[in-house]
Amino acid sequence: MEKMARVTTALGGNTITGRTMFCHLDAPANAISVCRDAAQVVVAGRNIFKIYSIDEDQFVEKLNLRVGRKPSLNFSCADVVWHQMDENLLATAATNGVVVTWNLGKPSRNKQDQLFTEHKRTVNKVCFHPTEVYMLLSGSQDGYMKCFDLRKKDSVSTFSGQSESVRDVQFSIRDYFTFAATFENGNVQLWDIRRPDRYERMFTAHNGPVFCCDWHLEDRGWLATGGRDKMVKVWDMNTNRAKEIYCVQTIASVARVKWRPECKHHIATCSMMVDHNIYVWDVRRPFIPSAMFEEHKDVTTGIVWRHLHDPYFLLSGSKDSTLYQHIFKDASQPIDRANPEGLCYSLFGDLAFAAKESLISSDSNRKPYIGDRRHPIFFKRKLDPTEQFEYISSSSALSVFETDLESGSMDWFVRTAKQYALAGRPLAELCDHNAKVAKELDRDQVAQTWTMLRIIYSSPGTVPSANLNHSLGKGSTSLPLMNSFNLKDIPPGIGNESRLERSKGESRSENILMDSSSTLINNDENEETEGSDVPADYLLGDVEGDEDELYMMDHENPHAEEQEYILPQEAFPLRHEIVDNPSALDHLQEKADSPHVSGNEAETVSLTPVESFSLISISHSLYENRLPTDFFNPIVRDMLLFYAEQGDVQMAVSVLIVLGDRIRKEIDEQTQEHWYTSYIDLLQRFQLWNISNEVIKLSTCRAINCLNQASTTLHINCSNCKRPMSNKGWICDRCRQCASMCAVCHHVVKGLFVWCQGCSHGGHLQHIMKWLETSSHCPAGCGHLCEYT
Amino acid sequence: MGLRRSGKSSIQKVVFHKMSPNETLFLESTNKICREDVSNSSFVNFQIWDFPGQIDFFDPTFDYEMIFRGTGALIFVIDSQDDYMEALARLHLTVTRAYKVNPDINFEIFIHKVDGLSDDHKIETQRDIHQRANDDLADAGLEKIHLSFYLTSIYDHSIFEAFSKVVQKLILQLPTLENLLNIFISNSGIEKAFLFDVVSKIYIATDSTPVDMQTYELCCDMIDVVIDISCIYGLKEDGAGTPYDKESTAIIKLNNTTVLYLKEVTKFLALVCFVREECFERKGLIDYNFHCFRKAIHEVFEVRMKVVRSRKHQNQMQKNKRATPNGTPRAPL
């Protein structure tokens, strides 16, 4: 051991040199420890216990302490520690609960010195006192910590962790009597070595076991702990109550922590599972490690800084049976690979952008985007003089761009959604209407698209009818299939209006229903005789909008043979489309059997706004008779995809609905469904429930169609006994009374039923509305202050 | 024990009856003391007493001395999502009374339903409860009582782990078992080994390396898989036999070069090991070591049986129902 005397302290003149190097061990290492001269390292594991000397460019095996023929369990080390005062003194903790001390100064081959067999279970940690030569502390799985005086045969004192397994014990560097112990239940205890009966302080540090702790080398109040909850926490123990001052979140449970010498805020960690790397963190920057060593192929089990005052050399042992010396020059720095620019949107559309200062300043002549104000906030990090590798520019700038409230608003979306007509009228009319809506909102391209769609689709193949229209000279070229309302019987204004209402999808309330239903019924009655257009339309393979409308009317038709098609989806009669799907063959056949002859389109009355036709009439005649509609399908499809790409899914869905079958086959189901769901989602965010429901109804995807059939159950209370109604129907099974009586007119409510959640009373929508206009109390007289919003 | 609706019966159902956590929502609240024998396993045969929360068992008509005298551990469940002040008062009362009757009881506090809390909040809650409970005891001059705290939830494996720890404390042979496992794994090149109680999936012992949650969960899942498959294919034609018997063994290779290896130890215990693929090439060695290990466990078991028998004899003589080492009647929940 003469060589050992050669090296005194590294700082005493000869600085440590070396390179990143490794050597193969024969077996996995469990722990490593260095001699205080930084020239030798001891590696211990289940099947290994060796001392290596650290040369300039290699490790050299110096001594194998596992001697003797018969392998004893005492050699199966869980931990090893080299005394920092005495170069000849080592201690190991064995898995069978034995603490062994070794004296390298012994002349014989077997250097084993003393054997303490006091622990019943595995000893997880041994620790020498930093200044006292003969004092050794051990922490075991059985929940006890024992303090040994190496001059005595037995332990001096025993500290009970109250049956929780001890994972780590560490003497405080500065405080002579204090040591910290960490436990499997997440607690950390501070003990005074003189008081074995009770801990001085205890606090819960982690959720789950705390595997390790380390006192700060300079700042004596700081204790770092690492646990299974993947966190490294730094505690300030100076205050009365342990205060968490830093917290680093790692990606795997933390097996070891070691403060980096000479760097106040740096700490090295390695993990217990999954992750094989060693990280050095700056605790003030807990999101990205400041350095990373990636050499190991398996879990790192022991890390130790080579010298107490040298921050550049790190030794590590691993389960992959290697011993490494890492030097900081070769460390990989994740910060290099990290993108130094950050971009984030706030809830209200503000945009924050952080980048390196240099980038920002060079760009400063560039205009800020939409922002009307710009707040650059600069913060500079103070450079730590001890940090050798801090060559990354550490100053960055944060700019916040506030959104112009107007420009970011989705007003156009809401208005468009409300005003678009999607069904219920002939295609051309829908297109015209939508074009107009778009135009009003200054969305010229969209308007143009609608107009073009009208041209493309509205009168293909309908030569005779188109001609008819032309010959009529009414200018309504695009309306060859205008439906079969006999508007003679009703004032055209009303019909028009009611239809508009419907297409807007805004007002479905019952009073409007009632207003318009009378006119509709008129229509329906005429339907029987006037339905002659429909078969013609269908045979021509044309506008379904018409048919839809007709079917809708059919459903309201009180004729017996058609009753069976009425699906009572809701409690009150629907006046809008129940079957949007033209694939309801029964209807079609029935219609086709109708004895009426086609060809009386001349009778149709144009409802189109007159100003929109002139644009089209010329182009209309250009392609007529020459190109089939399908010719344009690919273009239209591309157009839809384009709009969807652009983020205007509204347009894509609207066109899809309006064109219906013409374009549907061109676009695959999934895309369609995707569009529908996006649009519906958007509508719902803007609280346009009616419209979103309309879209759901009009969609042809089955997955979408069933959306509004989910969670249609309403749970209500009985208005008499105030208990929840359990069974189906309207009779409360507790008080045997009908629960759905209108509180105003005392009749059973059929149709829209409004119900106060506070007092369980309710009634007809109109009645309640009317009542609450004049009174704020519940009409049932229960005294509840009902509110109608 | 614990306040009503804190989750006592749910814990019992999930751990010992394999009820899925979601189903526990539909459990009726317990209205009488349920005593249940969990004598399914050779190492843990104890009774669980499920106390209804609303019972005031310090009622003079209630013989709580009889209950606590034979108790090994008292589990007190606190609902962490609720206001726990009342629970703490109740805890204090229970602990002090029980301690007077039987100072050897382990007091285990389950801070339950933590699945709804954030990580920071969990620790904060635990710290708060810990602080208050210990302060109360200190005020009463009972610092000697040690309370163990566990954060538990039935929606993950934390409840199993907590229960494992509780049970392990009651097993006197734990150091022996742990040492056996340590020797076994170090000589066979195994990463980690658990000794499982097959039915409840709590681990009776493990080696001294730290328990990782994922590892434990994997092992639990493996037991489930083995039992399920064995139920389908392992039974005899006539449906006789049990899904878990002497022949039970299973190997599952994971795609991260790890092998899971399950072997039957006793009728109720299974050994589940994590082995590296390269170490698993020496399966013969592992099997031989396992054979020795199994023999050793059986020896431990036999010693215990003798102890139990002699104890029983003594008990009859003294007409005194003292706790037997492992047959500790345990845990009023």
Side-chain angles (χ1 to χ4, degrees):
Chain A
M1 295 300 112
E2 310 88 57
K3 271 187 189 167
M4 275 165 38
R6 180 177 56 86
V7 189
T8 49
T9 54
L11 286 198
N14 45 344
T15 43
I16 301 172
T17 53
R19 58 181 185 88
T20 298
M21 58 188 184
F22 74 99
C23 74
H24 276 290
L25 313 170
D26 308 327
N30 271 350
I32 62 172
S33 183
V34 282
C35 180
R36 69 164 176 171
D37 63 9
Q40 292 177 94
V41 58
V42 58
V43 182
R46 272 176 197 162
N47 300 312
I48 184 174
F49 189 25
K50 281 179 182 171
I51 291 178
Y52 287 86
S53 77
I54 311 164
D55 288 357
E56 187 73 16
D57 49 4
Q58 61 180 350
F59 290 101
V60 177
E61 183 180 329
K62 292 220 21 209
L63 196 60
N64 188 357
L65 291 159
R66 250 179 105 85
V67 289
R69 200 164 300 146
K70 197 163 158 259
S72 158
L73 278 178
N74 298 348
F75 294 124
S76 169
C77 303
D79 192 32
V80 65
V81 63
W82 202 318
H83 204 297
Q84 291 304 305
M85 299 297 290
D86 188 340
E87 285 154 356
N88 285 333
L89 208 52
L90 284 118
T92 56
T95 46
N96 60 350
V98 176
V99 176
V100 192
T101 59
W102 309 78
N103 189 351
L104 299 181
K106 273 194 175 181
S108 69
R109 257 185 83 220
N110 190 350
K111 311 282 188 195
Q112 185 174 326
D113 196 17
Q114 285 206 60
L115 211 66
F116 302 102
T117 48
E118 296 196 11
H119 286 294
K120 279 203 230 89
R121 294 169 65 184
T122 302
V123 179
N124 285 322
K125 189 78 185 174
V126 282
C127 177
F128 277 115
H129 196 279
T131 47
E132 196 66 38
V133 179
Y134 297 109
M135 202 182 281
L136 175 68
L137 190 67
S138 67
S140 158
Q141 193 88 355
D142 59 11
Y144 292 104
M145 293 145 282
K146 285 180 190 284
C147 182
F148 302 98
D149 187 328
L150 301 186
R151 292 163 296 194
K152 290 184 185 164
K153 284 254 181 295
D154 298 314
S155 62
V156 187
S157 45
T158 303
F159 311 89
S160 167
Q162 306 276 24
S163 73
E164 298 295 342
S165 298
V166 186
R167 274 291 160 195
D168 199 356
V169 284
Q170 290 287 346
F171 274 109
S172 167
I173 307 266
R174 296 286 168 84
D175 202 345
Y176 188 87
F177 296 109
T178 309
F179 71 88
T182 68
F183 293 85
E184 282 226 319
N185 60 353
N187 288 342
V188 173
Q189 294 180 352
L190 285 194
W191 289 81
D192 189 318
I193 203 93
R194 297 162 296 186
R195 270 199 70 187
D197 57 328
R198 191 172 168 77
Y199 52 83
E200 277 199 325
R201 199 194 293 180
M202 168 156 87
F203 61 95
T204 306
H206 289 266
N207 178 14
V210 191
F211 290 134
C212 51
C213 65
D214 196 29
W215 289 94
H216 197 280
L217 299 168
E218 297 147 35
D219 204 324
R220 71 185 200 175
W222 284 14
L223 179 73
T225 58
R228 195 176 69 182
D229 58 358
K230 305 176 185 175
M231 306 233 239
V232 179
K233 290 181 178 176
V234 180
W235 304 86
D236 185 357
M237 310 297 278
N238 290 322
T239 49
N240 206 9
R241 187 167 180 255
K243 208 175 97 209
E244 180 186 328
I245 44 178
Y246 296 110
C247 178
V248 178
Q249 179 87 46
T250 65
I251 56 168
S253 52
V254 183
R256 310 260 169 181
V257 290
K258 277 274 178 268
W259 286 101
R260 187 175 175 204
E262 311 282 313
C263 297
K264 195 179 170 200
H265 289 102
H266 282 201
I267 192 163
T269 68
C270 66
S271 81
M272 185 157 281
M273 296 277 294
V274 188
D275 187 19
H276 309 155
N277 301 340
I278 302 165
Y279 300 104
V280 179
W281 301 86
D282 185 327
V283 288
R284 294 161 302 178
R285 255 190 175 178
F287 307 106
I288 191 159
S290 62
M292 191 161 101
F293 301 103
E294 301 165 298
E295 278 84 1
H296 285 298
K297 303 278 184 301
D298 201 341
V299 176
T300 310
T301 48
I303 48 174
V304 61
W305 295 95
R306 187 167 159 194
H307 191 271
L308 208 57
H309 296 287
D310 189 336
Y312 303 122
F313 291 87
L314 181 71
L315 300 169
S316 69
S318 158
K319 276 204 178 151
D320 62 3
S321 310
T322 52
L323 174 67
Y324 258 96
Q325 168 170 280
H326 310 278
I327 62 171
F328 251 86
K329 224 167 51 218
D330 298 337
S332 77
Q333 295 181 12
I335 209 157
D336 285 344
R337 280 175 270 158
N339 184 358
E341 279 92 39
L343 188 68
C344 188
Y345 263 115
S346 86
L347 192 61
F348 303 106
D350 294 353
L351 179 75
F353 174 66
K356 272 196 278 183
E357 213 172 44
S358 50
L359 267 177
I360 291 280
S361 55
S362 67
D363 278 0
S364 59
N365 48 355
R366 213 180 272 171
K367 275 192 303 204
Y369 302 109
I370 39 172
D372 44 358
R373 270 191 293 160
R374 194 180 161 201
H375 313 278
I377 302 159
F378 295 99
F379 51 91
K380 275 205 167 87
R381 247 190 70 203
K382 224 170 65 188
L383 281 170
D384 198 333
T386 57
E387 292 182 28
Q388 177 205 33
F389 60 97
E390 195 66 33
Y391 45 74
I392 303 278
S393 158
S394 55
S395 64
S396 52
L398 176 73
S399 332
V400 177
F401 302 93
E402 287 186 354
T403 341
D404 184 7
L405 274 180
E406 289 307 305
S407 69
S409 91
M410 290 285 280
D411 204 27
W412 60 269
F413 177 85
V414 179
R415 287 184 58 191
T416 319
K418 281 185 179 165
Q419 294 179 15
Y420 265 3
L422 298 178
R425 281 192 273 170
L427 174 78
E429 209 177 319
L430 292 175
C431 289
D432 277 340
H433 176 84
N434 293 344
K436 209 173 111 200
V437 169
K439 191 112 189 158
E440 272 165 16
L441 291 163
D442 291 332
R443 301 174 71 217
D444 290 329
Q445 194 188 3
V446 177
Q448 198 63 34
T449 311
W450 280 115
T451 325
M452 280 160 67
L453 283 174
R454 190 188 91 160
I455 298 168
I456 294 171
Y457 287 104
S458 64
S459 53
T462 55
V463 194
S465 63
N467 286 343
L468 259 175
N469 279 336
H470 276 295
S471 62
L472 277 171
K474 296 199 91 175
S476 61
T477 51
S478 58
L479 293 170
L481 307 173
M482 192 47 223
N483 63 41
S484 60
F485 280 119
N486 190 339
L487 295 172
K488 281 174 275 179
D489 296 350
I490 44 164
I494 295 173
N496 204 356
E497 202 176 86
S498 70
R499 238 177 287 160
L500 268 177
E501 293 281 15
R502 175 175 355 123
S503 56
K504 277 182 187 173
E506 274 174 326
S507 40
R508 293 254 162 83
S509 57
E510 202 178 19
N511 48 356
I512 293 178
L513 282 181
M514 289 187 159
D515 289 347
S516 55
S517 61
S518 59
T519 60
L520 278 170
I521 286 163
N522 283 343
N523 282 349
D524 297 342
E525 281 158 359
N526 295 327
E527 178 62 33
E528 196 64 11
T529 50
E530 294 269 331
S532 52
D533 291 333
V534 182
D537 290 350
Y538 183 71
L539 292 172
L540 289 168
D542 252 327
V543 191
E544 298 119 22
D546 285 279
E547 287 160 9
D548 289 344
E549 177 140 307
L550 288 171
Y551 292 144
M552 177 271 295
M553 291 174 192
D554 287 344
H555 293 308
E556 295 190 338
N557 230 340
H559 287 285
E561 73 267 21
E562 292 187 356
Q563 282 290 323
E564 57 190 285
Y565 304 117
I566 298 172
L567 293 169
Q569 289 183 334
E570 291 168 53
F572 54 94
L574 292 172
R575 60 169 263 286
H576 50 92
E577 304 85 342
I578 289 168
V579 181
D580 303 304
N581 222 329
S583 62
L585 277 170
D586 305 29
H587 290 265
L588 302 177
Q589 277 158 3
E590 197 178 282
K591 285 292 171 190
D593 291 346
S594 139
H596 296 284
V597 200
S598 64
N600 49 352
E601 280 92 352
E603 284 178 25
T604 54
V605 179
S606 166
L607 296 176
T608 349
V610 188
E611 65 261 27
S612 65
F613 73 90
S614 56
L615 274 173
I616 298 120
S617 50
I618 308 163
S619 58
H620 183 60
S621 56
L622 282 180
Y623 72 89
E624 213 170 291
N625 285 335
R626 266 168 253 159
L627 295 170
T629 341
D630 293 352
F631 180 79
F632 292 103
N633 276 352
I635 299 170
V636 173
R637 186 195 59 209
D638 290 347
M639 186 263 303
L640 290 188
L641 291 171
F642 167 79
Y643 274 113
E645 275 306 288
Q646 293 284 305
D648 190 0
V649 75
Q650 182 178 45
M651 184 66 187
V653 172
S654 303
V655 172
L656 200 59
I657 293 175
V658 167
L659 292 184
D661 263 349
R662 294 179 195 79
I663 194 70
R664 196 175 300 137
K665 288 171 209 87
E666 296 286 324
I667 299 160
D668 67 287
E669 281 279 323
Q670 270 185 328
T671 318
Q672 285 191 35
E673 195 180 321
H674 181 63
W675 288 352
Y676 274 120
T677 43
S678 327
Y679 187 41
I680 288 163
D681 189 42
L682 267 174
L683 287 172
Q684 289 182 346
R685 290 203 181 191
F686 284 102
Q687 305 186 341
L688 302 167
W689 313 111
N690 285 339
I691 298 162
S692 91
N693 197 42
E694 190 184 1
V695 170
I696 292 172
K697 283 176 78 68
L698 290 174
S699 78
T700 46
C701 298
R702 195 162 301 156
I704 302 297
N705 259 328
C706 62
L707 274 183
N708 61 357
Q709 284 160 31
S711 67
T712 49
T713 313
L714 268 181
H715 296 280
I716 61 167
N717 283 343
C718 169
S719 59
N720 289 315
C721 58
K722 305 266 160 54
R723 303 261 200 78
M725 300 267 290
S726 49
N727 58 351
K728 285 169 192 152
W730 291 101
I731 301 291
C732 172
D733 55 350
R734 288 193 180 81
C735 50
R736 302 268 161 218
Q737 287 200 30
C738 182
S740 62
M741 301 283 267
C742 175
V744 179
C745 66
H746 300 284
H747 284 106
V748 173
V749 184
K750 284 180 181 169
L752 285 181
F753 178 59
V754 68
W755 176 61
C756 170
Q757 298 194 2
C759 64
S760 313
H761 294 117
H764 291 103
L765 177 65
Q766 308 99 302
H767 292 163
I768 297 290
M769 274 167 75
K770 218 174 279 172
W771 178 272
L772 288 173
E773 274 168 20
T774 53
S775 164
S776 60
H777 286 269
C778 175
C782 67
H784 186 258
L785 285 169
C786 300
E787 211 175 315
Y788 178 80
T789 47
Chain B
M1 291 183 184
L3 292 187
R4 53 193 296 275
R5 306 213 57 77
S6 55
K8 302 171 292 298
S9 304
S10 299
I11 293 177
Q12 195 206 353
K13 291 284 180 200
V14 168
V15 176
F16 296 103
H17 297 264
K18 283 195 164 187
M19 184 182 267
S20 108
N22 301 319
E23 289 168 31
T24 60
L25 284 177
F26 307 109
L27 281 180
E28 292 284 325
S29 63
T30 316
N31 46 21
K32 61 180 185 356
I33 298 178
C34 294
R35 209 168 75 172
E36 189 170 350
D37 267 311
V38 186
S39 46
N40 47 17
S41 137
S42 55
F43 269 87
V44 269
N45 41 5
F46 46 73
Q47 288 174 349
I48 292 178
W49 294 45
D50 189 0
F51 278 88
Q54 58 272 23
I55 249 190
D56 181 16
F57 52 91
F58 294 117
D59 202 271
T61 58
F62 207 78
D63 188 9
Y64 65 87
E65 293 206 5
M66 184 273 289
I67 293 165
F68 289 140
R69 199 173 295 131
T71 303
L74 187 149
I75 298 175
F76 195 93
V77 183
I78 295 177
D79 182 352
S80 66
Q81 293 183 20
D82 206 6
D83 181 32
Y84 43 75
M85 286 308 155
E86 198 191 338
L88 283 174
R90 181 68 171 271
L91 168 72
H92 180 68
L93 189 73
T94 313
V95 166
T96 45
R97 295 282 181 93
Y99 183 75
K100 268 181 208 147
V101 177
N102 180 0
D104 294 331
I105 297 185
N106 295 336
F107 295 104
E108 320 282 353
I109 322 295
F110 284 9
I111 301 170
H112 198 49
K113 305 187 189 173
V114 289
D115 43 282
L117 303 180
S118 71
D119 281 348
D120 288 346
H121 202 154
K122 274 182 203 169
I123 292 192
E124 216 35 64
T125 310
Q126 183 181 2
R127 201 177 293 162
D128 192 42
I129 291 178
H130 191 158
Q131 188 71 38
R132 285 170 195 277
N134 279 340
D135 285 354
D136 283 352
L137 287 179
D139 290 345
L142 293 163
E143 293 99 333
K144 268 181 284 177
I145 302 183
H146 176 67
L147 309 175
S148 311
F149 294 88
Y150 306 87
L151 293 169
T152 58
S153 158
I154 50 172
Y155 291 96
D156 54 29
H157 284 77
S158 59
I159 186 66
F160 290 96
E161 205 193 17
F163 239 98
S164 303
K165 294 243 176 82
V166 170
V167 170
Q168 281 172 28
K169 281 190 196 171
L170 296 169
I171 297 177
L172 298 183
Q173 295 91 336
L174 183 65
T176 321
L177 293 178
E178 188 181 282
N179 277 341
L180 281 173
L181 280 165
N182 275 336
I183 297 166
F184 173 61
I185 67 165
S186 62
N187 289 326
S188 320
I190 291 169
E191 298 271 303
K192 181 86 188 141
F194 290 95
L195 197 57
F196 266 99
D197 176 31
V198 177
V199 175
S200 59
K201 284 185 287 176
I202 55 185
Y203 62 94
I204 307 302
T206 178
D207 61 292
S208 58
T209 54
V211 179
D212 184 73
M213 230 24 197
Q214 286 102 316
T215 321
Y216 176 60
E217 283 167 17
L218 268 176
C219 292
C220 287
D221 292 347
M222 177 176 191
I223 292 178
D224 279 341
V225 168
V226 170
I227 299 292
D228 289 350
I229 291 183
S230 172
C231 277
I232 299 170
Y233 301 107
L235 302 182
K236 295 202 185 81
E237 287 288 304
D238 51 352
T242 50
Y244 187 73
D245 55 25
K246 272 206 160 54
E247 302 291 308
S248 290
T249 171
I251 299 167
I252 296 180
K253 287 197 174 155
L254 305 179
N255 63 359
N256 61 351
T257 71
T258 320
V259 180
L260 277 169
Y261 190 37
L262 179 143
K263 281 200 76 93
E264 185 258 8
V265 179
T266 69
K267 201 172 157 198
F268 304 106
L269 293 182
L271 183 81
V272 185
C273 321
F274 263 70
V275 195
R276 301 240 147 215
E277 220 161 43
E278 57 264 25
C279 299
F280 200 66
E281 284 161 11
R282 294 172 294 174
K283 184 161 175 290
L285 175 77
I286 294 176
D287 282 344
Y288 177 73
N289 282 339
F290 174 77
H291 178 70
C292 300
F293 172 75
R294 187 157 177 254
K295 225 165 70 187
I297 295 269
H298 278 280
E299 274 167 31
V300 173
F301 188 63
E302 271 163 31
V303 171
R304 196 184 66 98
M305 288 304 280
K306 274 180 206 157
V307 173
V308 170
R309 245 176 263 136
S310 61
R311 280 288 178 88
K312 259 188 189 159
H313 194 63
Q314 274 178 356
N315 284 354
Q316 280 169 356
M317 299 290 282
Q318 296 171 356
K319 281 191 178 175
N320 185 6
K321 281 186 181 173
R322 292 295 297 191
T324 51
N326 283 298
T328 320
R330 213 202 88 243
L333 264 173

